[in-house]
Amino acid sequence: MKVKLNKHIRLTVIALLSLAGCFMLFKSVEAFRSPALVEENVPLYSYDQQANINYKVNLKSNPIYEEKTLGENQVYIENFVNDIDTQFTYAFSGEEKSDINGTYEIIAVVEGSVEGGEKKSPLWSRQYILKPKTEFSTSDQQLSVKENMTIDLNQYKKFAEQVQEQSKVNANTRLKVMWRVNMEGENGKINSQLSPAMIIPLNEQYFKVGGTLTQNQPGTVEESKKVANQVRASDIKKFGTGAGISIVFLVLFVLYTRSQKEIDPIKKELKGIFKKHGNRLVALDEEATPVIGNISHVKTFEDLVRIADEIGQPILYIKFNKSSYQFFVSHTNHKSFMYRLEETVQVDVEDGVRKLG
C-alpha cells in the first residue's frame, strides 16, 4: 500500500534525496581518484639530550658568612667571592641502541659593552679556551658526560680592569662561560648542538649568576615513506555508504509513496452540503424552469439554510454539470433566494468569506 503525500512535499523529498545521492556519489568518485599512496614522515628513532650546569660559589674569609661556600640562585658580594666550582653534565638517551659520537669544549669570553639605546652594543671581547674539544662516543642506548671545572673570577676581573685602564673607556664587563656540545649519530641523521652558558658581571659590587644553565633538546629521526592514504579509504567508505543509503531511500520512497490528488474546492463544498443537509434538498430536473421570480443571491449556503428555516420552505437545486449547481428557496411567486456553486471561486480579503458566483 502506497502512502499518500502532498505533491509538493513528495517532489521536494525526491529532489533532496537525489541531490544527496549525487553529492555522495561525486565525493566517493573523487576520493577513489585520489592517490592510493602518499608520502609521510615515519619516525625511526627518538632521543632526548640534556646539558646542565651546576655550581657553588667559594668564599674568601669575610665577617658575614661562616660557611665557606654558597649554593645556587643567590646574590653574591663580589669582594667575598674567591672562585666558582662548576659541574657540567651531558646526558643522551635513545629509544634503542645506536652509534652516537660527538665533542664538547669549554670556552670563556670576557666582553665589554656600552649602552646603545635600548640594548647594549658590544665594544670588545677576548676568548679563553678552558677545555679544548674532547670526544665522546657510545654504541649503547644511553650516554653520560661529566666535567668539573673551577672558574677563577679574579683572573678575568683583572683583565677587564686592565683594558678599561688602558682604553680609558668605562664599559660594562661580564664573563660568559659556554659549554659547547656537538653530537652526531644514526649515520649523520642526528646532528645537534647544545650550548648552555653561565654569565657573571665583572664590574658590579654584587651579582647573580645568569645565563642558560640548562638546555633540553628532544629529537626524532624521520624517514619519508609511501604509506596507504587513510583519508582516501575513509572517504570512499563514508561517501560510498552515504550514496548507497541515499539511493536506497530514494527508490523506496518513490515505490511506496504517491502524490495525493488535489481536492477540488467545489467538490469538497458540495460533498459537505449533501452530507449535512441532504435530507432537506430537492433535486429538480435540469430541463425544468421553475418560476422563481425576483432573485436575491446569498453569500453562503448556510445563509440559504437559515432563510429556508425562517420561511419554512425546502431547498431546491438544479445540477447543470459536475461543477455547477444552483440552490434556491422560493419565498413567493415574485421573490426567491439563490446560492450558486460554480467553478469561479474568489476570496474576500476583508472578511475571509468565500464568494461563489
PDB file of all heavy atoms in Angstrom, residues 266-299:
ATOM      1  N   ILE A 266     -14.768  22.973  -5.099  1.00  0.00           N
ATOM      2  CA  ILE A 266     -16.209  22.905  -5.371  1.00  0.00           C
ATOM      3  C   ILE A 266     -16.761  21.553  -4.938  1.00  0.00           C
ATOM      4  O   ILE A 266     -17.799  21.459  -4.272  1.00  0.00           O
ATOM      5  CB  ILE A 266     -16.485  23.169  -6.863  1.00  0.00           C
ATOM      6  CG1 ILE A 266     -16.112  24.613  -7.199  1.00  0.00           C
ATOM      7  CG2 ILE A 266     -17.956  22.898  -7.194  1.00  0.00           C
ATOM      8  CD1 ILE A 266     -16.308  24.963  -8.653  1.00  0.00           C
ATOM      9  N   LYS A 267     -16.022  20.482  -5.305  1.00  0.00           N
ATOM     10  CA  LYS A 267     -16.462  19.147  -4.920  1.00  0.00           C
ATOM     11  C   LYS A 267     -16.445  18.988  -3.402  1.00  0.00           C
ATOM     12  O   LYS A 267     -17.310  18.325  -2.827  1.00  0.00           O
ATOM     13  CB  LYS A 267     -15.571  18.102  -5.566  1.00  0.00           C
ATOM     14  CG  LYS A 267     -15.743  18.003  -7.077  1.00  0.00           C
ATOM     15  CD  LYS A 267     -14.862  16.909  -7.659  1.00  0.00           C
ATOM     16  CE  LYS A 267     -15.061  16.792  -9.178  1.00  0.00           C
ATOM     17  NZ  LYS A 267     -14.192  15.733  -9.749  1.00  0.00           N
ATOM     18  N   LYS A 268     -15.427  19.586  -2.770  1.00  0.00           N
ATOM     19  CA  LYS A 268     -15.329  19.480  -1.318  1.00  0.00           C
ATOM     20  C   LYS A 268     -16.518  20.159  -0.644  1.00  0.00           C
ATOM     21  O   LYS A 268     -17.138  19.610   0.280  1.00  0.00           O
ATOM     22  CB  LYS A 268     -14.021  20.119  -0.853  1.00  0.00           C
ATOM     23  CG  LYS A 268     -13.792  20.032   0.645  1.00  0.00           C
ATOM     24  CD  LYS A 268     -12.460  20.669   1.021  1.00  0.00           C
ATOM     25  CE  LYS A 268     -12.238  20.603   2.526  1.00  0.00           C
ATOM     26  NZ  LYS A 268     -10.951  21.234   2.906  1.00  0.00           N
ATOM     27  N   GLU A 269     -16.867  21.337  -1.136  1.00  0.00           N
ATOM     28  CA  GLU A 269     -18.002  22.054  -0.542  1.00  0.00           C
ATOM     29  C   GLU A 269     -19.319  21.344  -0.844  1.00  0.00           C
ATOM     30  O   GLU A 269     -20.198  21.233   0.016  1.00  0.00           O
ATOM     31  CB  GLU A 269     -18.041  23.488  -1.055  1.00  0.00           C
ATOM     32  CG  GLU A 269     -19.144  24.312  -0.391  1.00  0.00           C
ATOM     33  CD  GLU A 269     -19.116  25.765  -0.815  1.00  0.00           C
ATOM     34  OE1 GLU A 269     -18.227  26.133  -1.616  1.00  0.00           O
ATOM     35  OE2 GLU A 269     -19.977  26.529  -0.343  1.00  0.00           O
ATOM     36  N   LEU A 270     -19.439  20.840  -2.058  1.00  0.00           N
ATOM     37  CA  LEU A 270     -20.657  20.146  -2.449  1.00  0.00           C
ATOM     38  C   LEU A 270     -20.857  18.890  -1.609  1.00  0.00           C
ATOM     39  O   LEU A 270     -21.978  18.588  -1.164  1.00  0.00           O
ATOM     40  CB  LEU A 270     -20.582  19.783  -3.931  1.00  0.00           C
ATOM     41  CG  LEU A 270     -21.847  19.195  -4.559  1.00  0.00           C
ATOM     42  CD1 LEU A 270     -22.978  20.215  -4.519  1.00  0.00           C
ATOM     43  CD2 LEU A 270     -21.570  18.757  -5.997  1.00  0.00           C
ATOM     44  N   LYS A 271     -19.764  18.187  -1.361  1.00  0.00           N
ATOM     45  CA  LYS A 271     -19.840  16.988  -0.543  1.00  0.00           C
ATOM     46  C   LYS A 271     -20.292  17.327   0.873  1.00  0.00           C
ATOM     47  O   LYS A 271     -21.111  16.613   1.484  1.00  0.00           O
ATOM     48  CB  LYS A 271     -18.470  16.307  -0.514  1.00  0.00           C
ATOM     49  CG  LYS A 271     -18.455  14.995   0.229  1.00  0.00           C
ATOM     50  CD  LYS A 271     -17.057  14.364   0.155  1.00  0.00           C
ATOM     51  CE  LYS A 271     -17.024  13.042   0.906  1.00  0.00           C
ATOM     52  NZ  LYS A 271     -15.672  12.409   0.853  1.00  0.00           N
ATOM     53  N   GLY A 272     -19.809  18.456   1.389  1.00  0.00           N
ATOM     54  CA  GLY A 272     -20.221  18.875   2.730  1.00  0.00           C
ATOM     55  C   GLY A 272     -21.683  19.256   2.795  1.00  0.00           C
ATOM     56  O   GLY A 272     -22.374  18.972   3.781  1.00  0.00           O
ATOM     57  N   ILE A 273     -22.136  19.896   1.725  1.00  0.00           N
ATOM     58  CA  ILE A 273     -23.545  20.302   1.688  1.00  0.00           C
ATOM     59  C   ILE A 273     -24.458  19.086   1.727  1.00  0.00           C
ATOM     60  O   ILE A 273     -25.422  19.015   2.504  1.00  0.00           O
ATOM     61  CB  ILE A 273     -23.816  21.162   0.441  1.00  0.00           C
ATOM     62  CG1 ILE A 273     -23.128  22.523   0.572  1.00  0.00           C
ATOM     63  CG2 ILE A 273     -25.330  21.337   0.220  1.00  0.00           C
ATOM     64  CD1 ILE A 273     -23.206  23.381  -0.668  1.00  0.00           C
ATOM     65  N   PHE A 274     -24.223  18.114   0.865  1.00  0.00           N
ATOM     66  CA  PHE A 274     -25.085  16.935   0.807  1.00  0.00           C
ATOM     67  C   PHE A 274     -24.950  16.059   2.058  1.00  0.00           C
ATOM     68  O   PHE A 274     -25.911  15.402   2.463  1.00  0.00           O
ATOM     69  CB  PHE A 274     -24.770  16.110  -0.442  1.00  0.00           C
ATOM     70  CG  PHE A 274     -25.439  16.629  -1.676  1.00  0.00           C
ATOM     71  CD1 PHE A 274     -24.803  17.545  -2.494  1.00  0.00           C
ATOM     72  CD2 PHE A 274     -26.725  16.226  -2.004  1.00  0.00           C
ATOM     73  CE1 PHE A 274     -25.424  18.035  -3.624  1.00  0.00           C
ATOM     74  CE2 PHE A 274     -27.353  16.697  -3.143  1.00  0.00           C
ATOM     75  CZ  PHE A 274     -26.712  17.624  -3.969  1.00  0.00           C
ATOM     76  N   LYS A 275     -23.791  16.079   2.674  1.00  0.00           N
ATOM     77  CA  LYS A 275     -23.617  15.276   3.878  1.00  0.00           C
ATOM     78  C   LYS A 275     -24.389  15.868   5.052  1.00  0.00           C
ATOM     79  O   LYS A 275     -24.999  15.143   5.851  1.00  0.00           O
ATOM     80  CB  LYS A 275     -22.124  15.191   4.226  1.00  0.00           C
ATOM     81  CG  LYS A 275     -21.830  14.347   5.451  1.00  0.00           C
ATOM     82  CD  LYS A 275     -20.324  14.247   5.691  1.00  0.00           C
ATOM     83  CE  LYS A 275     -20.031  13.387   6.914  1.00  0.00           C
ATOM     84  NZ  LYS A 275     -18.568  13.292   7.183  1.00  0.00           N
ATOM     85  N   LYS A 276     -24.390  17.182   5.133  1.00  0.00           N
ATOM     86  CA  LYS A 276     -25.015  17.848   6.285  1.00  0.00           C
ATOM     87  C   LYS A 276     -26.506  18.136   6.062  1.00  0.00           C
ATOM     88  O   LYS A 276     -27.320  18.054   6.995  1.00  0.00           O
ATOM     89  CB  LYS A 276     -24.260  19.137   6.563  1.00  0.00           C
ATOM     90  CG  LYS A 276     -24.698  19.839   7.825  1.00  0.00           C
ATOM     91  CD  LYS A 276     -23.812  21.063   8.092  1.00  0.00           C
ATOM     92  CE  LYS A 276     -24.227  21.768   9.373  1.00  0.00           C
ATOM     93  NZ  LYS A 276     -23.373  22.963   9.635  1.00  0.00           N
ATOM     94  N   HIS A 277     -26.875  18.435   4.821  1.00  0.00           N
ATOM     95  CA  HIS A 277     -28.254  18.879   4.569  1.00  0.00           C
ATOM     96  C   HIS A 277     -28.945  18.055   3.474  1.00  0.00           C
ATOM     97  O   HIS A 277     -29.942  18.513   2.887  1.00  0.00           O
ATOM     98  CB  HIS A 277     -28.265  20.359   4.135  1.00  0.00           C
ATOM     99  CG  HIS A 277     -27.574  21.270   5.088  1.00  0.00           C
ATOM    100  ND1 HIS A 277     -28.101  21.614   6.308  1.00  0.00           N
ATOM    101  CD2 HIS A 277     -26.363  21.903   4.989  1.00  0.00           C
ATOM    102  CE1 HIS A 277     -27.267  22.455   6.923  1.00  0.00           C
ATOM    103  NE2 HIS A 277     -26.193  22.639   6.149  1.00  0.00           N
ATOM    104  N   GLY A 278     -28.446  16.862   3.195  1.00  0.00           N
ATOM    105  CA  GLY A 278     -29.003  16.067   2.102  1.00  0.00           C
ATOM    106  C   GLY A 278     -30.483  15.773   2.226  1.00  0.00           C
ATOM    107  O   GLY A 278     -31.215  15.735   1.225  1.00  0.00           O
ATOM    108  N   ASN A 279     -30.984  15.597   3.449  1.00  0.00           N
ATOM    109  CA  ASN A 279     -32.396  15.265   3.638  1.00  0.00           C
ATOM    110  C   ASN A 279     -33.322  16.461   3.423  1.00  0.00           C
ATOM    111  O   ASN A 279     -34.541  16.332   3.431  1.00  0.00           O
ATOM    112  CB  ASN A 279     -32.619  14.693   5.037  1.00  0.00           C
ATOM    113  CG  ASN A 279     -32.191  15.670   6.135  1.00  0.00           C
ATOM    114  OD1 ASN A 279     -31.492  16.636   5.863  1.00  0.00           O
ATOM    115  ND2 ASN A 279     -32.619  15.400   7.356  1.00  0.00           N
ATOM    116  N   ARG A 280     -32.736  17.633   3.224  1.00  0.00           N
ATOM    117  CA  ARG A 280     -33.555  18.830   3.037  1.00  0.00           C
ATOM    118  C   ARG A 280     -33.529  19.299   1.592  1.00  0.00           C
ATOM    119  O   ARG A 280     -34.177  20.274   1.240  1.00  0.00           O
ATOM    120  CB  ARG A 280     -33.054  19.961   3.930  1.00  0.00           C
ATOM    121  CG  ARG A 280     -33.033  19.606   5.390  1.00  0.00           C
ATOM    122  CD  ARG A 280     -32.614  20.790   6.226  1.00  0.00           C
ATOM    123  NE  ARG A 280     -33.485  21.929   6.004  1.00  0.00           N
ATOM    124  CZ  ARG A 280     -33.362  23.103   6.638  1.00  0.00           C
ATOM    125  NH1 ARG A 280     -32.380  23.262   7.523  1.00  0.00           N
ATOM    126  NH2 ARG A 280     -34.173  24.105   6.380  1.00  0.00           N
ATOM    127  N   LEU A 281     -32.718  18.645   0.761  1.00  0.00           N
ATOM    128  CA  LEU A 281     -32.542  19.096  -0.607  1.00  0.00           C
ATOM    129  C   LEU A 281     -33.518  18.385  -1.547  1.00  0.00           C
ATOM    130  O   LEU A 281     -33.750  17.184  -1.438  1.00  0.00           O
ATOM    131  CB  LEU A 281     -31.097  18.839  -1.064  1.00  0.00           C
ATOM    132  CG  LEU A 281     -29.996  19.488  -0.222  1.00  0.00           C
ATOM    133  CD1 LEU A 281     -28.628  19.106  -0.763  1.00  0.00           C
ATOM    134  CD2 LEU A 281     -30.167  21.003  -0.206  1.00  0.00           C
ATOM    135  N   VAL A 282     -34.039  19.168  -2.497  1.00  0.00           N
ATOM    136  CA  VAL A 282     -34.978  18.640  -3.504  1.00  0.00           C
ATOM    137  C   VAL A 282     -34.369  18.906  -4.867  1.00  0.00           C
ATOM    138  O   VAL A 282     -34.111  20.063  -5.234  1.00  0.00           O
ATOM    139  CB  VAL A 282     -36.357  19.309  -3.392  1.00  0.00           C
ATOM    140  CG1 VAL A 282     -37.291  18.774  -4.481  1.00  0.00           C
ATOM    141  CG2 VAL A 282     -36.947  19.071  -2.004  1.00  0.00           C
ATOM    142  N   ALA A 283     -34.120  17.838  -5.574  1.00  0.00           N
ATOM    143  CA  ALA A 283     -33.494  17.964  -6.888  1.00  0.00           C
ATOM    144  C   ALA A 283     -34.542  18.224  -7.954  1.00  0.00           C
ATOM    145  O   ALA A 283     -35.600  17.598  -7.968  1.00  0.00           O
ATOM    146  CB  ALA A 283     -32.709  16.704  -7.219  1.00  0.00           C
ATOM    147  N   LEU A 284     -34.236  19.164  -8.838  1.00  0.00           N
ATOM    148  CA  LEU A 284     -35.100  19.464  -9.966  1.00  0.00           C
ATOM    149  C   LEU A 284     -34.423  18.993 -11.236  1.00  0.00           C
ATOM    150  O   LEU A 284     -33.183  18.959 -11.331  1.00  0.00           O
ATOM    151  CB  LEU A 284     -35.372  20.964 -10.053  1.00  0.00           C
ATOM    152  CG  LEU A 284     -36.101  21.592  -8.853  1.00  0.00           C
ATOM    153  CD1 LEU A 284     -36.285  23.099  -9.087  1.00  0.00           C
ATOM    154  CD2 LEU A 284     -37.456  20.927  -8.645  1.00  0.00           C
ATOM    155  N   ASP A 285     -35.242  18.641 -12.203  1.00  0.00           N
ATOM    156  CA  ASP A 285     -34.688  18.208 -13.483  1.00  0.00           C
ATOM    157  C   ASP A 285     -33.997  19.375 -14.150  1.00  0.00           C
ATOM    158  O   ASP A 285     -34.435  20.532 -14.037  1.00  0.00           O
ATOM    159  CB  ASP A 285     -35.800  17.664 -14.370  1.00  0.00           C
ATOM    160  CG  ASP A 285     -35.238  17.076 -15.654  1.00  0.00           C
ATOM    161  OD1 ASP A 285     -34.694  15.947 -15.582  1.00  0.00           O
ATOM    162  OD2 ASP A 285     -35.332  17.755 -16.701  1.00  0.00           O
ATOM    163  N   GLU A 286     -32.878  19.074 -14.841  1.00  0.00           N
ATOM    164  CA  GLU A 286     -32.094  20.137 -15.455  1.00  0.00           C
ATOM    165  C   GLU A 286     -32.912  20.921 -16.467  1.00  0.00           C
ATOM    166  O   GLU A 286     -32.696  22.112 -16.681  1.00  0.00           O
ATOM    167  CB  GLU A 286     -30.856  19.525 -16.123  1.00  0.00           C
ATOM    168  CG  GLU A 286     -29.906  20.565 -16.688  1.00  0.00           C
ATOM    169  CD  GLU A 286     -28.680  19.922 -17.281  1.00  0.00           C
ATOM    170  OE1 GLU A 286     -28.492  18.716 -17.077  1.00  0.00           O
ATOM    171  OE2 GLU A 286     -27.922  20.634 -17.958  1.00  0.00           O
ATOM    172  N   GLU A 287     -33.893  20.244 -17.087  1.00  0.00           N
ATOM    173  CA  GLU A 287     -34.701  20.908 -18.100  1.00  0.00           C
ATOM    174  C   GLU A 287     -35.797  21.764 -17.481  1.00  0.00           C
ATOM    175  O   GLU A 287     -36.422  22.578 -18.158  1.00  0.00           O
ATOM    176  CB  GLU A 287     -35.341  19.849 -19.014  1.00  0.00           C
ATOM    177  CG  GLU A 287     -34.317  18.950 -19.714  1.00  0.00           C
ATOM    178  CD  GLU A 287     -33.422  19.748 -20.641  1.00  0.00           C
ATOM    179  OE1 GLU A 287     -33.910  20.769 -21.193  1.00  0.00           O
ATOM    180  OE2 GLU A 287     -32.250  19.353 -20.809  1.00  0.00           O
ATOM    181  N   ALA A 288     -36.054  21.533 -16.176  1.00  0.00           N
ATOM    182  CA  ALA A 288     -37.136  22.270 -15.517  1.00  0.00           C
ATOM    183  C   ALA A 288     -36.788  23.733 -15.407  1.00  0.00           C
ATOM    184  O   ALA A 288     -35.639  24.099 -15.185  1.00  0.00           O
ATOM    185  CB  ALA A 288     -37.420  21.669 -14.143  1.00  0.00           C
ATOM    186  N   THR A 289     -37.808  24.570 -15.525  1.00  0.00           N
ATOM    187  CA  THR A 289     -37.597  26.008 -15.377  1.00  0.00           C
ATOM    188  C   THR A 289     -38.573  26.517 -14.337  1.00  0.00           C
ATOM    189  O   THR A 289     -39.697  26.937 -14.663  1.00  0.00           O
ATOM    190  CB  THR A 289     -37.808  26.756 -16.710  1.00  0.00           C
ATOM    191  OG1 THR A 289     -36.973  26.150 -17.699  1.00  0.00           O
ATOM    192  CG2 THR A 289     -37.442  28.217 -16.591  1.00  0.00           C
ATOM    193  N   PRO A 290     -38.244  26.438 -13.096  1.00  0.00           N
ATOM    194  CA  PRO A 290     -39.167  26.847 -12.048  1.00  0.00           C
ATOM    195  C   PRO A 290     -39.379  28.357 -12.045  1.00  0.00           C
ATOM    196  O   PRO A 290     -38.499  29.117 -12.456  1.00  0.00           O
ATOM    197  CB  PRO A 290     -38.442  26.392 -10.770  1.00  0.00           C
ATOM    198  CG  PRO A 290     -37.002  26.417 -11.132  1.00  0.00           C
ATOM    199  CD  PRO A 290     -36.942  26.011 -12.563  1.00  0.00           C
ATOM    200  N   VAL A 291     -40.598  28.717 -11.646  1.00  0.00           N
ATOM    201  CA  VAL A 291     -40.897  30.151 -11.526  1.00  0.00           C
ATOM    202  C   VAL A 291     -40.347  30.608 -10.191  1.00  0.00           C
ATOM    203  O   VAL A 291     -40.851  30.240  -9.141  1.00  0.00           O
ATOM    204  CB  VAL A 291     -42.414  30.407 -11.615  1.00  0.00           C
ATOM    205  CG1 VAL A 291     -42.699  31.895 -11.487  1.00  0.00           C
ATOM    206  CG2 VAL A 291     -42.957  29.855 -12.936  1.00  0.00           C
ATOM    207  N   ILE A 292     -39.286  31.387 -10.272  1.00  0.00           N
ATOM    208  CA  ILE A 292     -38.658  31.797  -9.017  1.00  0.00           C
ATOM    209  C   ILE A 292     -38.680  33.293  -8.825  1.00  0.00           C
ATOM    210  O   ILE A 292     -38.228  33.805  -7.807  1.00  0.00           O
ATOM    211  CB  ILE A 292     -37.213  31.286  -8.960  1.00  0.00           C
ATOM    212  CG1 ILE A 292     -36.449  31.746 -10.203  1.00  0.00           C
ATOM    213  CG2 ILE A 292     -37.182  29.756  -8.863  1.00  0.00           C
ATOM    214  CD1 ILE A 292     -35.010  31.301 -10.221  1.00  0.00           C
ATOM    215  N   GLY A 293     -39.228  34.044  -9.772  1.00  0.00           N
ATOM    216  CA  GLY A 293     -39.402  35.471  -9.604  1.00  0.00           C
ATOM    217  C   GLY A 293     -38.110  36.232  -9.445  1.00  0.00           C
ATOM    218  O   GLY A 293     -37.064  35.880 -10.004  1.00  0.00           O
ATOM    219  N   ASN A 294     -38.201  37.292  -8.640  1.00  0.00           N
ATOM    220  CA  ASN A 294     -37.038  38.145  -8.394  1.00  0.00           C
ATOM    221  C   ASN A 294     -36.018  37.376  -7.546  1.00  0.00           C
ATOM    222  O   ASN A 294     -36.365  36.843  -6.504  1.00  0.00           O
ATOM    223  CB  ASN A 294     -37.486  39.413  -7.679  1.00  0.00           C
ATOM    224  CG  ASN A 294     -36.342  40.398  -7.562  1.00  0.00           C
ATOM    225  OD1 ASN A 294     -35.395  40.368  -8.362  1.00  0.00           O
ATOM    226  ND2 ASN A 294     -36.421  41.249  -6.544  1.00  0.00           N
ATOM    227  N   ILE A 295     -34.734  37.332  -7.983  1.00  0.00           N
ATOM    228  CA  ILE A 295     -33.718  36.501  -7.315  1.00  0.00           C
ATOM    229  C   ILE A 295     -32.766  37.364  -6.496  1.00  0.00           C
ATOM    230  O   ILE A 295     -32.250  38.379  -6.990  1.00  0.00           O
ATOM    231  CB  ILE A 295     -32.918  35.696  -8.339  1.00  0.00           C
ATOM    232  CG1 ILE A 295     -33.852  34.781  -9.141  1.00  0.00           C
ATOM    233  CG2 ILE A 295     -31.834  34.877  -7.651  1.00  0.00           C
ATOM    234  CD1 ILE A 295     -33.161  34.057 -10.268  1.00  0.00           C
ATOM    235  N   SER A 296     -32.545  36.970  -5.268  1.00  0.00           N
ATOM    236  CA  SER A 296     -31.510  37.571  -4.408  1.00  0.00           C
ATOM    237  C   SER A 296     -30.458  36.495  -4.127  1.00  0.00           C
ATOM    238  O   SER A 296     -30.800  35.398  -3.673  1.00  0.00           O
ATOM    239  CB  SER A 296     -32.111  38.074  -3.091  1.00  0.00           C
ATOM    240  OG  SER A 296     -33.011  39.139  -3.338  1.00  0.00           O
ATOM    241  N   HIS A 297     -29.203  36.840  -4.401  1.00  0.00           N
ATOM    242  CA  HIS A 297     -28.115  35.880  -4.196  1.00  0.00           C
ATOM    243  C   HIS A 297     -27.555  36.008  -2.785  1.00  0.00           C
ATOM    244  O   HIS A 297     -27.330  37.124  -2.292  1.00  0.00           O
ATOM    245  CB  HIS A 297     -26.998  36.117  -5.225  1.00  0.00           C
ATOM    246  CG  HIS A 297     -27.394  35.798  -6.627  1.00  0.00           C
ATOM    247  ND1 HIS A 297     -27.286  34.547  -7.192  1.00  0.00           N
ATOM    248  CD2 HIS A 297     -27.936  36.601  -7.607  1.00  0.00           C
ATOM    249  CE1 HIS A 297     -27.699  34.570  -8.432  1.00  0.00           C
ATOM    250  NE2 HIS A 297     -28.128  35.816  -8.712  1.00  0.00           N
ATOM    251  N   VAL A 298     -27.364  34.894  -2.156  1.00  0.00           N
ATOM    252  CA  VAL A 298     -26.762  34.885  -0.810  1.00  0.00           C
ATOM    253  C   VAL A 298     -25.290  34.473  -0.921  1.00  0.00           C
ATOM    254  O   VAL A 298     -24.855  33.859  -1.899  1.00  0.00           O
ATOM    255  CB  VAL A 298     -27.513  33.902   0.116  1.00  0.00           C
ATOM    256  CG1 VAL A 298     -28.949  34.347   0.306  1.00  0.00           C
ATOM    257  CG2 VAL A 298     -27.455  32.485  -0.434  1.00  0.00           C
ATOM    258  N   LYS A 299     -24.489  34.822   0.093  1.00  0.00           N
ATOM    259  CA  LYS A 299     -23.051  34.568   0.044  1.00  0.00           C
ATOM    260  C   LYS A 299     -22.693  33.117   0.312  1.00  0.00           C
ATOM    261  O   LYS A 299     -21.798  32.563  -0.311  1.00  0.00           O
ATOM    262  CB  LYS A 299     -22.321  35.459   1.062  1.00  0.00           C
ATOM    263  CG  LYS A 299     -22.250  36.910   0.641  1.00  0.00           C
ATOM    264  CD  LYS A 299     -21.395  37.704   1.634  1.00  0.00           C
ATOM    265  CE  LYS A 299     -21.214  39.134   1.155  1.00  0.00           C
ATOM    266  NZ  LYS A 299     -20.361  39.920   2.068  1.00  0.00           N
TER     267      LYS A 299
END
